[in-house]
Amino acid sequence: MKIGRNAPCPCGSGKKYKKCCLKLEEQRAAQERQQNANEHELFGTGESGLSDNEDHEGGPDKDDEGDDKIEESESDRIWDEYIDGDFDQKAAVLEKTIDDPNLLEKFDCFELFHELHESCRHFNDRQVFKKLTQRLKQEYPDRYKKVQGYLIQSLIQDALIEQNKTEAGKMFLEFADDADKDIDSFNRTLEQIAFDVDLDLLLSAMRRGWEKVKDSPEIVPWGIDEYANLAAEYAILKHVSEVPNPDATDSDLLKELEQFIDPDVEKLKTYLAHITGTSGKVWKSDDFNFQIKRRKEKKAKRRPKDPGEKRLSIETFSMNVHHFTSEFLGYYVRKEGVSFPKAETARSELRRYLIDRAQGELEAEPSMFEKIMQPELKNKKKQPPSFDHILCPDKKTLDVFIGKMLNFFSFKLFRAVIFFASIPAWLQFLEIKGLIEQEMRRNTMSSVFELFADIRNVIESESKDKDRLITYIEKAYSRR
């Protein structure tokens, strides 16, 4: 397969092909041509029996090589001009490139459109980007399909920046019809659009995408399961939002869920009771009394155990956290006026954070460099997690958790913003339930908010929708 000059080098260096292995490949090819020429001279051309045409087919002549070099030099010049230009210059170059199919063939469409979109600064820029995207779709459908996920994701982002939720929703439904072609881009767009659109549209998109996703050989089984579970979750939340007294045996609800999962009526009944706040459960600290076991710890150093104290297994603790955060989901929607998609995102991340932290998964570990410079760190025993309250977030582990959400390989900015902005409401919920005092709520929120400066820096450097995201967080903390 031909590798584009501006494509990532297949050696894995992370550099462009033309800046890495292309020259070596050209040198190797030149050596082979020279070797063939030497052999040709050695055996003589006059007696070979080859015609002029046959000889030409054996390899490019010098004039052809010169043409290739001129073409390559020209494409390099165009690319350098493209990279160095502002948005208007890039748009002009890209338009000329699209006008010439032979020239477009020499470039990677993802790189071209990515560079252009990164240069968008205002409404007119985004409209030009949209126009050029439509041209690629209409005139080069095969090239478009290869970068369809990225382009639709970019167009949806632009529509949301302009507060055009109708257009964003329409494009997302279109994207859902081909969700299996680029499930990663679809999932990232889903996280972004859940920040703005209503539950009806999300569920409609999940239904349409499911037809392609459920049997796709391109998606790993656990990825298909995650898709199905989220679609079922949206179906449950839609039922809760429409029915005054949700019933786990409702035939319409069960029929909807059976599209995606095999529903367990008893579990569904419990879940609905917690979301609607009708479970009658009175939560106590003992319901979350989990502490990770300390390995090879001397008996004398152990904390004295209360005779009436009962430690929970991780399974029981996790189940209680699941039910409790489900109650928070309902509270967040009813009392705080947050949309169901945002509340579900917050609940999901809160649950994961609390369980991961309790098991010591968010304790900072020495870096590889630190282990090399300080070999004694390699054998140092991992300390059990330590925090003031098992349900109260703390700055140190929250920093680690959000850092994982914003790393290079799994960049989930919208989920991170929704989760971080939900913490003041979560602390309020804990106080209402009598699980923490007002002083702890205030101290925790003050400490946690210190992370906002770093989160803000990430938003400002990575998001074109930075003002809205920053304002969303500021409002969530200023109301308390």
Side-chain angles (χ1 to χ4, degrees):
M1 183 177 68
K2 182 181 178 181
I3 303 170
R5 293 170 55 75
N6 296 307
C9 188
C11 74
S13 65
K15 299 179 181 178
K16 295 184 189 301
Y17 180 50
K18 70 179 181 182
K19 298 292 186 181
C20 192
C21 293
L22 176 59
K23 291 183 179 179
L24 294 176
E25 295 290 345
E26 289 176 338
Q27 291 173 2
R28 191 177 296 116
Q31 290 172 356
E32 289 178 357
R33 287 196 296 270
Q34 184 61 46
Q35 183 177 353
N36 291 336
N38 293 339
E39 290 175 354
H40 197 61
E41 272 186 35
L42 182 62
F43 292 107
T45 58
E47 300 176 359
S48 67
L50 294 174
S51 68
D52 289 343
N53 288 336
E54 289 170 326
D55 185 49
H56 180 74
E57 289 173 1
D61 59 25
K62 291 183 179 179
D63 290 337
D64 289 336
E65 289 180 32
D67 290 342
D68 287 343
K69 289 180 179 178
I70 290 172
E71 289 178 1
E72 289 174 356
S73 177
E74 180 68 8
S75 64
D76 278 345
R77 183 192 66 75
I78 292 172
W79 178 253
D80 291 339
E81 177 186 343
Y82 190 76
I83 289 294
D84 295 337
D86 59 17
F87 178 85
D88 291 336
Q89 291 170 317
K90 283 183 171 68
V93 171
L94 180 52
E95 191 159 17
K96 290 179 182 178
T97 304
I98 292 176
D99 288 338
D100 185 346
N102 293 327
L103 183 58
L104 183 63
E105 185 64 29
K106 296 182 179 299
F107 295 97
D108 182 285
C109 281
F110 171 80
E111 285 193 332
L112 287 171
F113 280 86
H114 177 70
E115 288 291 338
L116 183 66
H117 194 254
E118 287 295 296
S119 301
C120 287
R121 292 293 178 266
H122 47 71
F123 175 78
N124 290 337
D125 293 348
R126 290 188 277 272
Q127 292 305 303
V128 171
F129 178 83
K130 180 180 179 181
K131 174 187 172 184
L132 291 172
T133 299
Q134 289 171 339
R135 279 198 62 189
L136 182 72
K137 181 179 180 180
Q138 293 167 2
E139 299 173 30
Y140 305 91
D142 291 340
R143 300 291 300 273
Y144 172 79
K145 286 181 180 178
K146 293 180 180 179
V147 290
Q148 177 181 357
Y150 168 75
L151 292 176
I152 294 180
Q153 183 179 357
S154 300
L155 290 173
I156 289 174
Q157 176 183 330
D158 291 346
L160 292 175
I161 290 174
E162 301 297 338
Q163 290 293 293
N164 192 339
K165 297 180 182 180
T166 301
E167 183 178 357
K170 181 180 178 181
M171 286 189 288
F172 188 60
L173 290 172
E174 176 189 342
F175 197 179
D177 290 332
D178 291 310
D180 60 313
K181 298 294 191 300
D182 190 350
I183 192 64
D184 290 332
S185 291
F186 179 81
N187 286 336
R188 284 193 295 270
T189 308
L190 174 63
E191 292 174 356
Q192 177 179 347
I193 207 164
F195 192 87
D196 289 280
V197 304
D198 59 35
L199 199 54
D200 286 344
L201 188 138
L202 283 175
L203 185 55
S204 295
M206 297 299 279
R207 289 190 193 117
R208 286 169 65 161
W210 181 240
E211 293 305 312
K212 297 288 187 67
V213 169
K214 62 183 178 182
D215 298 317
S216 174
E218 304 297 324
I219 306 175
V220 294
W222 61 262
I224 295 175
D225 290 342
E226 280 192 351
Y227 185 104
N229 288 331
L230 182 57
E233 181 71 27
Y234 284 155
I236 294 171
L237 296 179
K238 185 173 186 298
H239 182 74
V240 170
S241 69
E242 294 178 342
V243 179
N245 298 302
D247 182 1
T249 63
D250 185 289
S251 59
D252 291 336
L253 173 60
L254 294 176
K255 185 177 180 180
E256 178 76 39
L257 295 178
E258 286 167 358
Q259 296 179 70
F260 311 111
I261 63 172
D262 181 16
D264 184 318
V265 174
E266 289 304 314
K267 288 183 178 180
L268 180 58
K269 186 183 297 183
T270 302
Y271 186 44
L272 289 174
H274 285 295
I275 292 178
T276 57
T278 59
S279 69
K281 170 70 175 176
V282 178
W283 295 97
K284 299 178 180 179
S285 297
D286 288 347
D287 294 315
F288 307 100
N289 189 21
F290 171 79
Q291 186 175 359
I292 194 169
K293 292 182 179 180
R294 304 182 182 186
R295 296 178 180 177
K296 298 181 180 179
E297 186 181 34
K298 293 182 179 180
K299 190 173 182 180
K301 292 185 178 181
R302 291 179 182 170
R303 178 174 64 84
K305 186 176 179 181
D306 187 328
E309 183 181 39
K310 184 179 180 181
R311 299 280 179 85
L312 302 178
S313 66
I314 186 58
E315 292 78 15
T316 302
F317 172 75
S318 298
M319 182 58 68
N320 286 347
V321 169
H322 172 70
H323 292 324
F324 190 59
T325 53
S326 296
E327 286 198 16
F328 170 69
L329 186 160
Y331 164 86
Y332 205 22
V333 171
R334 293 189 303 273
K335 301 297 184 181
E336 302 282 337
V338 175
S339 69
F340 271 108
K342 279 181 181 173
E344 161 54 24
T345 298
R347 181 207 66 83
S348 176
E349 296 304 331
L350 276 167
R351 176 181 177 276
R352 191 161 63 91
Y353 166 75
L354 292 172
I355 294 173
D356 284 356
R357 184 181 67 162
Q359 295 184 93
E361 299 295 329
L362 302 179
E363 298 300 307
E365 293 187 4
S367 66
M368 185 65 69
F369 178 76
E370 289 173 327
K371 289 179 180 179
I372 292 174
M373 299 303 295
Q374 304 178 58
E376 67 274 10
L377 294 177
K378 292 182 180 179
N379 300 320
K380 187 176 180 180
K381 293 180 180 179
K382 190 175 180 179
Q383 296 297 314
S386 175
F387 33 78
D388 293 334
H389 194 288
I390 200 163
L391 296 177
C392 253
D394 67 274
K395 178 183 174 182
K396 183 181 70 172
T397 59
L398 201 63
D399 188 18
V400 174
F401 185 77
I402 294 177
K404 290 181 178 181
M405 297 175 74
L406 299 177
N407 68 34
F408 179 76
F409 298 102
S410 179
F411 191 71
K412 299 179 178 180
L413 179 60
F414 280 83
R415 290 188 75 85
V417 168
I418 291 171
F419 167 62
F420 186 68
S422 73
I423 290 175
W426 169 252
L427 294 172
Q428 185 77 54
F429 180 68
L430 293 179
E431 185 180 350
I432 290 172
K433 291 293 182 179
L435 294 170
I436 63 171
E437 299 294 332
Q438 184 183 77
E439 184 179 3
M440 176 171 279
R441 174 178 66 81
R442 289 178 174 174
N443 290 342
T444 300
M445 192 168 68
S446 176
S447 173
V448 164
F449 189 67
E450 293 175 8
L451 296 174
F452 178 54
D454 290 336
I455 296 173
R456 181 176 188 142
N457 288 337
V458 174
I459 294 172
E460 289 180 337
S461 64
E462 299 295 336
S463 176
K464 293 179 179 295
D465 206 5
K466 55 188 178 184
D467 293 339
R468 200 157 58 97
L469 297 183
I470 289 171
T471 300
Y472 182 74
I473 294 176
E474 289 176 336
K475 284 184 177 179
Y477 281 83
S478 64
R479 289 199 306 246
R480 311 294 162 179

